[in-house]
Amino acid sequence: MNRITPEIVRKAKGQGITALTAYDYPTARLLDEAGIEVLLVGDSMGMVVLGLRDTTEVTLEDILHHVRAVARGVQHALLVADLPIDTYRNPEEAVVNAKKLIFAGAHAVKLEGGTTRVEQIKAIADAGVPVMGHIGMLPQRIREEGGYRIKGKTPAESQLLVEDAKAVENAGAFAVVLELVARKVAHEITRSIQIPTIGIGSGAGCDGQILVFHDLVGYSPWFIPKHVQPEAMVGDAISKAASAFIARVKGGTGEK
Ligand code: KIV
């Protein structure tokens, strides 16, 4: 399999694009070898890896550190890196920081926001850096929003989301994440733009799906989001392995 490029992702509209987050070398390598097409070093890392309350304390340095690790494990997938909060407040800042992520090994960057982020998306794309949009529930705004909730439940909110999607497309993004968007609206957006939509908690009507890796494999069993059907319970396996090791050492049966 050849390397997957933003152009390949763009053309894969309607073909079930697969995307997962990855934050470290072994996970990236396993997911890449399994054939996942897009790996995202997302700022969800703040919560699932760093133990932070939300994504708003994740820094560019945090993301750069993990992009370097993930890049070492990726041969085929498209590696997308999140621009964390306050790293794209204006177009100039967005371009400088997007380039840092590319220099660290990312193939593309992602940022949150629709009509309000058009200038940043344009500037990044014009600088030759492929950019993915992210609309709907915006985790970087969680403290203003006060919680995670489905977006697009009212006609006014749906209209704003459609406008956001079109703005992101027109600004030059090659794909757009729809996070916690009402299923009907996600489907409508998917039909009304040419670039692929990649949904999370937004129903099956998107062109692809993305999940946080830890949610998919049950690595954070204390929190399983409503939209996730875990395919494994890695957290339980780790607890069992640790208990078995404790029993072995305390029982004096040696190191193996
Ligand atoms: O940071 C992240 O993991 C994300 C996904 C939820 C799309 O942005």
PDB file of all heavy atoms in Angstrom, residues 96-136:
ATOM      1  N   VAL A  96       2.871  29.666  11.018  1.00  0.00           N
ATOM      2  CA  VAL A  96       4.138  29.347  11.709  1.00  0.00           C
ATOM      3  C   VAL A  96       3.994  28.028  12.470  1.00  0.00           C
ATOM      4  O   VAL A  96       4.832  27.124  12.373  1.00  0.00           O
ATOM      5  CB  VAL A  96       4.524  30.492  12.690  1.00  0.00           C
ATOM      6  CG1 VAL A  96       5.638  30.052  13.623  1.00  0.00           C
ATOM      7  CG2 VAL A  96       4.944  31.734  11.902  1.00  0.00           C
ATOM      8  N   ASN A  97       2.897  27.877  13.189  1.00  0.00           N
ATOM      9  CA  ASN A  97       2.736  26.673  14.021  1.00  0.00           C
ATOM     10  C   ASN A  97       2.383  25.437  13.188  1.00  0.00           C
ATOM     11  O   ASN A  97       2.814  24.333  13.508  1.00  0.00           O
ATOM     12  CB  ASN A  97       1.709  26.941  15.123  1.00  0.00           C
ATOM     13  CG  ASN A  97       2.276  27.906  16.155  1.00  0.00           C
ATOM     14  OD1 ASN A  97       3.481  27.891  16.417  1.00  0.00           O
ATOM     15  ND2 ASN A  97       1.445  28.762  16.714  1.00  0.00           N
ATOM     16  N   ALA A  98       1.632  25.641  12.116  1.00  0.00           N
ATOM     17  CA  ALA A  98       1.332  24.503  11.227  1.00  0.00           C
ATOM     18  C   ALA A  98       2.640  23.964  10.653  1.00  0.00           C
ATOM     19  O   ALA A  98       2.851  22.748  10.577  1.00  0.00           O
ATOM     20  CB  ALA A  98       0.386  24.951  10.113  1.00  0.00           C
ATOM     21  N   LYS A  99       3.533  24.860  10.273  1.00  0.00           N
ATOM     22  CA  LYS A  99       4.815  24.417   9.695  1.00  0.00           C
ATOM     23  C   LYS A  99       5.651  23.663  10.727  1.00  0.00           C
ATOM     24  O   LYS A  99       6.379  22.722  10.386  1.00  0.00           O
ATOM     25  CB  LYS A  99       5.583  25.603   9.130  1.00  0.00           C
ATOM     26  CG  LYS A  99       4.976  26.082   7.810  1.00  0.00           C
ATOM     27  CD  LYS A  99       5.827  27.159   7.174  1.00  0.00           C
ATOM     28  CE  LYS A  99       5.295  27.510   5.792  1.00  0.00           C
ATOM     29  NZ  LYS A  99       5.957  28.681   5.215  1.00  0.00           N
ATOM     30  N   LYS A 100       5.573  24.077  11.988  1.00  0.00           N
ATOM     31  CA  LYS A 100       6.318  23.350  13.040  1.00  0.00           C
ATOM     32  C   LYS A 100       5.822  21.908  13.129  1.00  0.00           C
ATOM     33  O   LYS A 100       6.604  20.967  13.301  1.00  0.00           O
ATOM     34  CB  LYS A 100       6.127  24.036  14.405  1.00  0.00           C
ATOM     35  CG  LYS A 100       6.904  25.325  14.540  1.00  0.00           C
ATOM     36  CD  LYS A 100       6.770  25.881  15.940  1.00  0.00           C
ATOM     37  CE  LYS A 100       7.392  27.262  16.013  1.00  0.00           C
ATOM     38  NZ  LYS A 100       7.051  27.977  17.243  1.00  0.00           N
ATOM     39  N   LEU A 101       4.509  21.726  13.011  1.00  0.00           N
ATOM     40  CA  LEU A 101       3.939  20.363  13.085  1.00  0.00           C
ATOM     41  C   LEU A 101       4.386  19.532  11.883  1.00  0.00           C
ATOM     42  O   LEU A 101       4.693  18.346  12.011  1.00  0.00           O
ATOM     43  CB  LEU A 101       2.403  20.432  13.162  1.00  0.00           C
ATOM     44  CG  LEU A 101       1.848  21.015  14.477  1.00  0.00           C
ATOM     45  CD1 LEU A 101       0.352  21.297  14.373  1.00  0.00           C
ATOM     46  CD2 LEU A 101       2.126  20.074  15.648  1.00  0.00           C
ATOM     47  N   ILE A 102       4.437  20.171  10.717  1.00  0.00           N
ATOM     48  CA  ILE A 102       4.886  19.447   9.511  1.00  0.00           C
ATOM     49  C   ILE A 102       6.362  19.085   9.663  1.00  0.00           C
ATOM     50  O   ILE A 102       6.776  17.964   9.364  1.00  0.00           O
ATOM     51  CB  ILE A 102       4.658  20.313   8.242  1.00  0.00           C
ATOM     52  CG1 ILE A 102       3.171  20.641   8.060  1.00  0.00           C
ATOM     53  CG2 ILE A 102       5.257  19.648   7.004  1.00  0.00           C
ATOM     54  CD1 ILE A 102       2.260  19.460   7.790  1.00  0.00           C
ATOM     55  N   PHE A 103       7.146  20.004  10.181  1.00  0.00           N
ATOM     56  CA  PHE A 103       8.574  19.755  10.369  1.00  0.00           C
ATOM     57  C   PHE A 103       8.797  18.596  11.346  1.00  0.00           C
ATOM     58  O   PHE A 103       9.735  17.813  11.218  1.00  0.00           O
ATOM     59  CB  PHE A 103       9.255  21.039  10.866  1.00  0.00           C
ATOM     60  CG  PHE A 103      10.749  20.943  10.875  1.00  0.00           C
ATOM     61  CD1 PHE A 103      11.462  20.869   9.676  1.00  0.00           C
ATOM     62  CD2 PHE A 103      11.455  20.906  12.075  1.00  0.00           C
ATOM     63  CE1 PHE A 103      12.851  20.761   9.679  1.00  0.00           C
ATOM     64  CE2 PHE A 103      12.839  20.795  12.086  1.00  0.00           C
ATOM     65  CZ  PHE A 103      13.536  20.717  10.884  1.00  0.00           C
ATOM     66  N   ALA A 104       7.877  18.443  12.300  1.00  0.00           N
ATOM     67  CA  ALA A 104       7.995  17.346  13.285  1.00  0.00           C
ATOM     68  C   ALA A 104       7.577  16.001  12.695  1.00  0.00           C
ATOM     69  O   ALA A 104       7.786  14.958  13.314  1.00  0.00           O
ATOM     70  CB  ALA A 104       7.151  17.663  14.509  1.00  0.00           C
ATOM     71  N   GLY A 105       6.931  16.010  11.513  1.00  0.00           N
ATOM     72  CA  GLY A 105       6.577  14.728  10.883  1.00  0.00           C
ATOM     73  C   GLY A 105       5.129  14.579  10.461  1.00  0.00           C
ATOM     74  O   GLY A 105       4.751  13.564   9.879  1.00  0.00           O
ATOM     75  N   ALA A 106       4.282  15.574  10.763  1.00  0.00           N
ATOM     76  CA  ALA A 106       2.871  15.497  10.326  1.00  0.00           C
ATOM     77  C   ALA A 106       2.794  15.756   8.823  1.00  0.00           C
ATOM     78  O   ALA A 106       3.649  16.440   8.253  1.00  0.00           O
ATOM     79  CB  ALA A 106       2.035  16.523  11.083  1.00  0.00           C
ATOM     80  N   HIS A 107       1.747  15.180   8.200  1.00  0.00           N
ATOM     81  CA  HIS A 107       1.511  15.453   6.769  1.00  0.00           C
ATOM     82  C   HIS A 107       0.458  16.528   6.582  1.00  0.00           C
ATOM     83  O   HIS A 107       0.296  17.063   5.480  1.00  0.00           O
ATOM     84  CB  HIS A 107       1.011  14.186   6.056  1.00  0.00           C
ATOM     85  CG  HIS A 107       1.887  13.001   6.273  1.00  0.00           C
ATOM     86  ND1 HIS A 107       1.424  11.777   6.692  1.00  0.00           N
ATOM     87  CD2 HIS A 107       3.228  12.869   6.145  1.00  0.00           C
ATOM     88  CE1 HIS A 107       2.426  10.927   6.807  1.00  0.00           C
ATOM     89  NE2 HIS A 107       3.531  11.564   6.490  1.00  0.00           N
ATOM     90  N   ALA A 108      -0.321  16.779   7.614  1.00  0.00           N
ATOM     91  CA  ALA A 108      -1.418  17.752   7.534  1.00  0.00           C
ATOM     92  C   ALA A 108      -1.735  18.219   8.947  1.00  0.00           C
ATOM     93  O   ALA A 108      -1.304  17.580   9.922  1.00  0.00           O
ATOM     94  CB  ALA A 108      -2.654  17.087   6.908  1.00  0.00           C
ATOM     95  N   VAL A 109      -2.476  19.314   9.052  1.00  0.00           N
ATOM     96  CA  VAL A 109      -2.863  19.810  10.379  1.00  0.00           C
ATOM     97  C   VAL A 109      -4.380  19.939  10.443  1.00  0.00           C
ATOM     98  O   VAL A 109      -5.046  19.966   9.414  1.00  0.00           O
ATOM     99  CB  VAL A 109      -2.194  21.175  10.703  1.00  0.00           C
ATOM    100  CG1 VAL A 109      -0.685  21.063  10.631  1.00  0.00           C
ATOM    101  CG2 VAL A 109      -2.701  22.281   9.780  1.00  0.00           C
ATOM    102  N   LYS A 110      -4.887  20.002  11.661  1.00  0.00           N
ATOM    103  CA  LYS A 110      -6.329  20.194  11.862  1.00  0.00           C
ATOM    104  C   LYS A 110      -6.535  21.340  12.835  1.00  0.00           C
ATOM    105  O   LYS A 110      -5.775  21.485  13.794  1.00  0.00           O
ATOM    106  CB  LYS A 110      -6.969  18.911  12.407  1.00  0.00           C
ATOM    107  CG  LYS A 110      -8.444  19.080  12.761  1.00  0.00           C
ATOM    108  CD  LYS A 110      -9.124  17.751  13.029  1.00  0.00           C
ATOM    109  CE  LYS A 110      -8.922  17.190  14.415  1.00  0.00           C
ATOM    110  NZ  LYS A 110      -9.368  18.040  15.532  1.00  0.00           N
ATOM    111  N   LEU A 111      -7.566  22.130  12.582  1.00  0.00           N
ATOM    112  CA  LEU A 111      -7.926  23.171  13.548  1.00  0.00           C
ATOM    113  C   LEU A 111      -9.435  23.242  13.698  1.00  0.00           C
ATOM    114  O   LEU A 111     -10.185  22.807  12.825  1.00  0.00           O
ATOM    115  CB  LEU A 111      -7.331  24.525  13.163  1.00  0.00           C
ATOM    116  CG  LEU A 111      -7.681  25.150  11.812  1.00  0.00           C
ATOM    117  CD1 LEU A 111      -9.043  25.795  11.812  1.00  0.00           C
ATOM    118  CD2 LEU A 111      -6.632  26.206  11.473  1.00  0.00           C
ATOM    119  N   GLU A 112      -9.858  23.775  14.840  1.00  0.00           N
ATOM    120  CA  GLU A 112     -11.285  23.833  15.160  1.00  0.00           C
ATOM    121  C   GLU A 112     -11.894  25.173  14.750  1.00  0.00           C
ATOM    122  O   GLU A 112     -11.293  26.226  14.954  1.00  0.00           O
ATOM    123  CB  GLU A 112     -11.486  23.652  16.672  1.00  0.00           C
ATOM    124  CG  GLU A 112     -11.087  22.279  17.168  1.00  0.00           C
ATOM    125  CD  GLU A 112     -11.363  22.081  18.660  1.00  0.00           C
ATOM    126  OE1 GLU A 112     -11.999  22.948  19.301  1.00  0.00           O
ATOM    127  OE2 GLU A 112     -10.928  21.042  19.179  1.00  0.00           O
ATOM    128  N   GLY A 113     -13.115  25.095  14.205  1.00  0.00           N
ATOM    129  CA  GLY A 113     -13.871  26.314  13.904  1.00  0.00           C
ATOM    130  C   GLY A 113     -14.253  26.397  12.443  1.00  0.00           C
ATOM    131  O   GLY A 113     -13.567  25.831  11.588  1.00  0.00           O
ATOM    132  N   GLY A 114     -15.356  27.103  12.172  1.00  0.00           N
ATOM    133  CA  GLY A 114     -15.860  27.229  10.805  1.00  0.00           C
ATOM    134  C   GLY A 114     -15.677  28.625  10.250  1.00  0.00           C
ATOM    135  O   GLY A 114     -14.540  29.025   9.961  1.00  0.00           O
ATOM    136  N   THR A 115     -16.765  29.379  10.161  1.00  0.00           N
ATOM    137  CA  THR A 115     -16.695  30.709   9.526  1.00  0.00           C
ATOM    138  C   THR A 115     -15.687  31.630  10.222  1.00  0.00           C
ATOM    139  O   THR A 115     -15.098  32.483   9.578  1.00  0.00           O
ATOM    140  CB  THR A 115     -18.087  31.388   9.540  1.00  0.00           C
ATOM    141  OG1 THR A 115     -18.590  31.336  10.865  1.00  0.00           O
ATOM    142  CG2 THR A 115     -19.061  30.684   8.614  1.00  0.00           C
ATOM    143  N   THR A 116     -15.481  31.416  11.515  1.00  0.00           N
ATOM    144  CA  THR A 116     -14.569  32.312  12.243  1.00  0.00           C
ATOM    145  C   THR A 116     -13.094  31.981  11.992  1.00  0.00           C
ATOM    146  O   THR A 116     -12.213  32.723  12.431  1.00  0.00           O
ATOM    147  CB  THR A 116     -14.823  32.221  13.762  1.00  0.00           C
ATOM    148  OG1 THR A 116     -14.647  30.857  14.147  1.00  0.00           O
ATOM    149  CG2 THR A 116     -16.223  32.684  14.125  1.00  0.00           C
ATOM    150  N   ARG A 117     -12.830  30.862  11.327  1.00  0.00           N
ATOM    151  CA  ARG A 117     -11.436  30.435  11.121  1.00  0.00           C
ATOM    152  C   ARG A 117     -11.022  30.392   9.652  1.00  0.00           C
ATOM    153  O   ARG A 117      -9.977  29.817   9.326  1.00  0.00           O
ATOM    154  CB  ARG A 117     -11.222  29.043  11.732  1.00  0.00           C
ATOM    155  CG  ARG A 117     -11.446  28.992  13.204  1.00  0.00           C
ATOM    156  CD  ARG A 117     -10.505  29.906  13.940  1.00  0.00           C
ATOM    157  NE  ARG A 117     -10.615  29.720  15.375  1.00  0.00           N
ATOM    158  CZ  ARG A 117     -10.023  30.489  16.266  1.00  0.00           C
ATOM    159  NH1 ARG A 117      -9.280  31.505  15.893  1.00  0.00           N
ATOM    160  NH2 ARG A 117     -10.168  30.246  17.541  1.00  0.00           N
ATOM    161  N   VAL A 118     -11.848  30.996   8.808  1.00  0.00           N
ATOM    162  CA  VAL A 118     -11.595  30.950   7.366  1.00  0.00           C
ATOM    163  C   VAL A 118     -10.208  31.509   7.012  1.00  0.00           C
ATOM    164  O   VAL A 118      -9.471  30.924   6.215  1.00  0.00           O
ATOM    165  CB  VAL A 118     -12.717  31.726   6.642  1.00  0.00           C
ATOM    166  CG1 VAL A 118     -12.308  32.124   5.253  1.00  0.00           C
ATOM    167  CG2 VAL A 118     -13.976  30.868   6.597  1.00  0.00           C
ATOM    168  N   GLU A 119      -9.839  32.634   7.617  1.00  0.00           N
ATOM    169  CA  GLU A 119      -8.552  33.269   7.264  1.00  0.00           C
ATOM    170  C   GLU A 119      -7.380  32.353   7.622  1.00  0.00           C
ATOM    171  O   GLU A 119      -6.410  32.249   6.861  1.00  0.00           O
ATOM    172  CB  GLU A 119      -8.402  34.619   7.984  1.00  0.00           C
ATOM    173  CG  GLU A 119      -9.407  35.669   7.535  1.00  0.00           C
ATOM    174  CD  GLU A 119      -9.463  35.805   6.006  1.00  0.00           C
ATOM    175  OE1 GLU A 119      -8.390  35.811   5.380  1.00  0.00           O
ATOM    176  OE2 GLU A 119     -10.580  35.893   5.451  1.00  0.00           O
ATOM    177  N   GLN A 120      -7.498  31.690   8.766  1.00  0.00           N
ATOM    178  CA  GLN A 120      -6.420  30.794   9.191  1.00  0.00           C
ATOM    179  C   GLN A 120      -6.309  29.587   8.236  1.00  0.00           C
ATOM    180  O   GLN A 120      -5.216  29.190   7.840  1.00  0.00           O
ATOM    181  CB  GLN A 120      -6.687  30.278  10.618  1.00  0.00           C
ATOM    182  CG  GLN A 120      -6.386  31.288  11.700  1.00  0.00           C
ATOM    183  CD  GLN A 120      -7.518  32.230  12.010  1.00  0.00           C
ATOM    184  OE1 GLN A 120      -8.387  32.478  11.182  1.00  0.00           O
ATOM    185  NE2 GLN A 120      -7.509  32.770  13.211  1.00  0.00           N
ATOM    186  N   ILE A 121      -7.469  29.012   7.877  1.00  0.00           N
ATOM    187  CA  ILE A 121      -7.446  27.836   6.989  1.00  0.00           C
ATOM    188  C   ILE A 121      -6.848  28.223   5.636  1.00  0.00           C
ATOM    189  O   ILE A 121      -5.980  27.530   5.104  1.00  0.00           O
ATOM    190  CB  ILE A 121      -8.875  27.245   6.833  1.00  0.00           C
ATOM    191  CG1 ILE A 121      -9.360  26.703   8.182  1.00  0.00           C
ATOM    192  CG2 ILE A 121      -8.910  26.152   5.765  1.00  0.00           C
ATOM    193  CD1 ILE A 121     -10.806  26.239   8.207  1.00  0.00           C
ATOM    194  N   LYS A 122      -7.289  29.368   5.112  1.00  0.00           N
ATOM    195  CA  LYS A 122      -6.760  29.868   3.823  1.00  0.00           C
ATOM    196  C   LYS A 122      -5.253  30.058   3.894  1.00  0.00           C
ATOM    197  O   LYS A 122      -4.514  29.623   3.004  1.00  0.00           O
ATOM    198  CB  LYS A 122      -7.389  31.243   3.537  1.00  0.00           C
ATOM    199  CG  LYS A 122      -8.460  31.212   2.503  1.00  0.00           C
ATOM    200  CD  LYS A 122      -8.742  32.651   2.058  1.00  0.00           C
ATOM    201  CE  LYS A 122     -10.016  32.618   1.268  1.00  0.00           C
ATOM    202  NZ  LYS A 122     -10.995  33.556   1.651  1.00  0.00           N
ATOM    203  N   ALA A 123      -4.809  30.708   4.945  1.00  0.00           N
ATOM    204  CA  ALA A 123      -3.377  31.014   5.064  1.00  0.00           C
ATOM    205  C   ALA A 123      -2.557  29.729   5.134  1.00  0.00           C
ATOM    206  O   ALA A 123      -1.506  29.605   4.483  1.00  0.00           O
ATOM    207  CB  ALA A 123      -3.120  31.872   6.304  1.00  0.00           C
ATOM    208  N   ILE A 124      -3.034  28.760   5.894  1.00  0.00           N
ATOM    209  CA  ILE A 124      -2.293  27.496   6.029  1.00  0.00           C
ATOM    210  C   ILE A 124      -2.259  26.773   4.675  1.00  0.00           C
ATOM    211  O   ILE A 124      -1.212  26.305   4.225  1.00  0.00           O
ATOM    212  CB  ILE A 124      -2.926  26.598   7.117  1.00  0.00           C
ATOM    213  CG1 ILE A 124      -2.806  27.257   8.494  1.00  0.00           C
ATOM    214  CG2 ILE A 124      -2.250  25.230   7.144  1.00  0.00           C
ATOM    215  CD1 ILE A 124      -3.590  26.554   9.593  1.00  0.00           C
ATOM    216  N   ALA A 125      -3.435  26.695   4.030  1.00  0.00           N
ATOM    217  CA  ALA A 125      -3.492  26.005   2.730  1.00  0.00           C
ATOM    218  C   ALA A 125      -2.621  26.729   1.707  1.00  0.00           C
ATOM    219  O   ALA A 125      -1.886  26.092   0.937  1.00  0.00           O
ATOM    220  CB  ALA A 125      -4.941  25.907   2.256  1.00  0.00           C
ATOM    221  N   ASP A 126      -2.663  28.067   1.703  1.00  0.00           N
ATOM    222  CA  ASP A 126      -1.849  28.837   0.748  1.00  0.00           C
ATOM    223  C   ASP A 126      -0.353  28.641   0.995  1.00  0.00           C
ATOM    224  O   ASP A 126       0.462  28.777   0.086  1.00  0.00           O
ATOM    225  CB  ASP A 126      -2.170  30.340   0.836  1.00  0.00           C
ATOM    226  CG  ASP A 126      -3.524  30.645   0.211  1.00  0.00           C
ATOM    227  OD1 ASP A 126      -4.098  29.748  -0.449  1.00  0.00           O
ATOM    228  OD2 ASP A 126      -4.021  31.772   0.410  1.00  0.00           O
ATOM    229  N   ALA A 127      -0.012  28.333   2.256  1.00  0.00           N
ATOM    230  CA  ALA A 127       1.410  28.104   2.583  1.00  0.00           C
ATOM    231  C   ALA A 127       1.841  26.684   2.184  1.00  0.00           C
ATOM    232  O   ALA A 127       2.964  26.267   2.447  1.00  0.00           O
ATOM    233  CB  ALA A 127       1.641  28.330   4.073  1.00  0.00           C
ATOM    234  N   GLY A 128       0.901  25.918   1.601  1.00  0.00           N
ATOM    235  CA  GLY A 128       1.249  24.578   1.114  1.00  0.00           C
ATOM    236  C   GLY A 128       1.077  23.479   2.150  1.00  0.00           C
ATOM    237  O   GLY A 128       1.541  22.356   1.944  1.00  0.00           O
ATOM    238  N   VAL A 129       0.418  23.803   3.247  1.00  0.00           N
ATOM    239  CA  VAL A 129       0.192  22.790   4.289  1.00  0.00           C
ATOM    240  C   VAL A 129      -1.261  22.313   4.201  1.00  0.00           C
ATOM    241  O   VAL A 129      -2.182  23.117   4.357  1.00  0.00           O
ATOM    242  CB  VAL A 129       0.469  23.363   5.698  1.00  0.00           C
ATOM    243  CG1 VAL A 129       0.127  22.340   6.770  1.00  0.00           C
ATOM    244  CG2 VAL A 129       1.919  23.809   5.819  1.00  0.00           C
ATOM    245  N   PRO A 130      -1.473  21.004   3.946  1.00  0.00           N
ATOM    246  CA  PRO A 130      -2.848  20.499   3.889  1.00  0.00           C
ATOM    247  C   PRO A 130      -3.540  20.678   5.248  1.00  0.00           C
ATOM    248  O   PRO A 130      -2.936  20.400   6.294  1.00  0.00           O
ATOM    249  CB  PRO A 130      -2.677  19.024   3.540  1.00  0.00           C
ATOM    250  CG  PRO A 130      -1.285  18.898   3.007  1.00  0.00           C
ATOM    251  CD  PRO A 130      -0.478  19.956   3.700  1.00  0.00           C
ATOM    252  N   VAL A 131      -4.785  21.117   5.196  1.00  0.00           N
ATOM    253  CA  VAL A 131      -5.480  21.418   6.452  1.00  0.00           C
ATOM    254  C   VAL A 131      -6.859  20.775   6.485  1.00  0.00           C
ATOM    255  O   VAL A 131      -7.584  20.770   5.495  1.00  0.00           O
ATOM    256  CB  VAL A 131      -5.503  22.956   6.712  1.00  0.00           C
ATOM    257  CG1 VAL A 131      -6.053  23.718   5.542  1.00  0.00           C
ATOM    258  CG2 VAL A 131      -6.272  23.315   7.962  1.00  0.00           C
ATOM    259  N   MET A 132      -7.163  20.217   7.642  1.00  0.00           N
ATOM    260  CA  MET A 132      -8.453  19.569   7.887  1.00  0.00           C
ATOM    261  C   MET A 132      -9.244  20.481   8.824  1.00  0.00           C
ATOM    262  O   MET A 132      -8.695  21.009   9.789  1.00  0.00           O
ATOM    263  CB  MET A 132      -8.187  18.206   8.553  1.00  0.00           C
ATOM    264  CG  MET A 132      -9.409  17.369   8.828  1.00  0.00           C
ATOM    265  SD  MET A 132      -8.941  15.809   9.663  1.00  0.00           S
ATOM    266  CE  MET A 132      -8.602  14.753   8.275  1.00  0.00           C
ATOM    267  N   GLY A 133     -10.535  20.652   8.528  1.00  0.00           N
ATOM    268  CA  GLY A 133     -11.378  21.464   9.407  1.00  0.00           C
ATOM    269  C   GLY A 133     -11.993  20.608  10.508  1.00  0.00           C
ATOM    270  O   GLY A 133     -11.871  19.378  10.513  1.00  0.00           O
ATOM    271  N   HIS A 134     -12.666  21.259  11.438  1.00  0.00           N
ATOM    272  CA  HIS A 134     -13.318  20.559  12.564  1.00  0.00           C
ATOM    273  C   HIS A 134     -14.439  21.467  13.044  1.00  0.00           C
ATOM    274  O   HIS A 134     -14.168  22.559  13.564  1.00  0.00           O
ATOM    275  CB  HIS A 134     -12.271  20.322  13.661  1.00  0.00           C
ATOM    276  CG  HIS A 134     -12.777  19.576  14.858  1.00  0.00           C
ATOM    277  ND1 HIS A 134     -11.934  18.864  15.691  1.00  0.00           N
ATOM    278  CD2 HIS A 134     -14.018  19.426  15.398  1.00  0.00           C
ATOM    279  CE1 HIS A 134     -12.633  18.307  16.671  1.00  0.00           C
ATOM    280  NE2 HIS A 134     -13.911  18.654  16.517  1.00  0.00           N
ATOM    281  N   ILE A 135     -15.676  21.022  12.825  1.00  0.00           N
ATOM    282  CA  ILE A 135     -16.825  21.839  13.238  1.00  0.00           C
ATOM    283  C   ILE A 135     -17.791  20.999  14.082  1.00  0.00           C
ATOM    284  O   ILE A 135     -17.620  19.795  14.222  1.00  0.00           O
ATOM    285  CB  ILE A 135     -17.553  22.457  12.009  1.00  0.00           C
ATOM    286  CG1 ILE A 135     -18.175  21.367  11.126  1.00  0.00           C
ATOM    287  CG2 ILE A 135     -16.604  23.325  11.195  1.00  0.00           C
ATOM    288  CD1 ILE A 135     -19.109  21.906  10.047  1.00  0.00           C
ATOM    289  N   GLY A 136     -18.819  21.667  14.604  1.00  0.00           N
ATOM    290  CA  GLY A 136     -19.757  20.989  15.498  1.00  0.00           C
ATOM    291  C   GLY A 136     -19.351  21.295  16.928  1.00  0.00           C
ATOM    292  O   GLY A 136     -19.029  22.441  17.264  1.00  0.00           O
TER     293      GLY A 136
END
